[in-house]
Amino acid sequence: MTLTPAPLHADVADGPADGKAYWLTCPDGVKIRAGVWGAETGTKGTVLLFPGRTEFIEKYGRAAAGFTARGYAVVVIDWRGQGLADRLLPDRALGHVGSFKDYQTDVATLLGLVEDLALPKPLSLFAHSMGGCIGLRALVEDLTVTSAVFTGPMWGIAMTNSKRSLGWVASTAAHNLGLGNIISPGTLPETYVLSNPFDDNMLTTDPEMFDYMKRQVTKYPDLALGGPTLSWLNHALRECRALAAHPTPNVPCLTYLGTNERIVDKDAIHDRMGRWPNGELVIIEDGEHEIIMECEAVREQVYEAADALFAKHA
């Protein structure tokens, strides 16, 4: 694989000083971006960090600092359709994907970079929200990691029963009629942290971390992403349903869930973790969706526990 340097907005990432980014071209021609920290200093292995929907490499600069300080290299991905990766529609504000299977193509391409850079082994997985959905699918398909940590994983989408039924009907009809590129009702083309105030936001209880996220997309608007299309919603509902029926992978696991989670389906997380024999569900009291965007004490708790899990199963 030819390594082509890509932009990394270090001034808003707050990551370690050795960060680098690369363009990667997937087998289907889609260009994605990967960020790497600790490539030369990581001695305990490499953390594959799978972000959520709307997210981007720079958002995890502080997380990279947390892991590199504990002796790991970290590689973060811009999924197709977000960050600086190729957007899949003319309107770059809309979150879209052709199929959730395409994200596994991104995973395979990222693993190629891990090999080309000879990043330290073993590999561990840290996955948030939609990245948790993609990560669970990757584990089911035998992703070679020794252990995994999930935060607010999207193993279902938070909806009332009536809205879920409507979502299925509307998204399926739109997809079948060729109207799947329409933004999902109730969402906006503007990214969440710019269209919502801090008060009662669904991401974090920490005002400084909310400002951190807001600064990133204010200074670099090309990183921002708005609401998902109806086609994305349909693919997401189908993937969550398919994964719910699948046996639990035999991988040691920690999953974090805030008591005030309002974006992903808490029942789906409880269901999955209730049948994960070598897994543990950790509840963060008053936590919102983005556990490692919570206060420093919570973030450090997660990094310490992840380090202990990764080291135990190295």
Side-chain angles (χ1 to χ4, degrees), residues 63-311:
F67 284 119
T68 57
R70 290 166 173 81
Y72 297 92
V74 178
V75 58
V76 190
I77 186 172
D78 273 357
W79 304 114
R80 61 182 60 213
Q82 58 192 66
L84 296 185
D86 281 349
R87 299 293 172 102
L88 305 177
L89 294 176
D91 185 349
R92 62 178 292 109
L94 302 183
H96 188 74
V97 72
S99 166
F100 260 59
K101 291 180 181 179
D102 294 343
Y103 292 128
Q104 299 305 315
T105 301
D106 296 353
V107 172
T109 303
L110 183 72
L111 293 175
L113 176 68
V114 170
E115 294 302 320
D116 284 358
L117 294 177
L119 295 180
K121 302 290 179 65
L123 305 181
S124 304
L125 175 64
F126 190 97
H128 172 65
S129 196
M130 185 186 81
C133 178
I134 297 167
L136 180 56
R137 170 60 69 185
L139 292 179
V140 164
E141 297 183 359
D142 297 324
L143 175 67
T144 306
V145 295
T146 57
S147 53
V149 175
F150 296 96
T151 59
M154 192 192 82
W155 296 336
I157 300 173
M159 297 179 178
T160 63
N161 288 337
S162 59
K163 285 187 177 179
R164 189 180 308 279
S165 297
L166 180 61
W168 269 108
V169 171
S171 66
T172 301
H175 182 71
N176 292 341
L177 293 171
L179 301 174
N181 295 355
I182 297 172
I183 194 169
S184 296
T187 66
L188 299 171
E190 190 174 29
T191 199
Y192 184 86
V193 294
L194 295 182
S195 58
N196 289 271
F198 170 74
D199 291 343
D200 198 35
N201 81 88
M202 296 190 290
L203 303 182
T204 177
T205 62
D206 187 310
E208 199 281 322
M209 290 301 287
F210 191 83
D211 286 343
Y212 168 67
M213 293 184 276
K214 193 170 182 177
R215 285 196 304 273
Q216 292 173 332
V217 291
T218 299
K219 185 165 186 181
Y220 298 104
D222 277 357
L223 294 173
L225 185 68
T229 63
L230 281 166
S231 186
W232 183 94
L233 175 61
N234 191 252
H235 290 305
L237 290 170
R238 291 177 185 277
E239 178 69 343
C240 290
R241 183 173 65 181
L243 284 172
H246 204 285
T248 298
N250 185 26
V251 176
C253 161
L254 272 176
T255 295
Y256 286 86
L257 175 64
T259 56
N260 204 32
E261 171 66 62
R262 291 173 282 172
I263 292 176
V264 298
D265 187 344
K266 292 192 284 188
D267 289 342
I269 295 172
H270 281 282
D271 174 71
R272 171 59 66 183
M273 294 310 300
R275 49 195 173 102
W276 202 310
N278 49 355
E280 179 185 356
L281 178 60
V282 181
I283 303 297
I284 301 297
E285 196 65 34
D286 298 323
E288 295 286 355
H289 180 55
E290 303 209 8
I291 300 299
I292 58 167
M293 301 292 164
E294 286 289 1
C295 67
E296 184 177 5
V298 171
R299 299 197 303 270
E300 289 297 308
Q301 174 189 336
V302 175
Y303 298 143
E304 284 293 304
D307 179 23
L309 179 73
F310 296 160

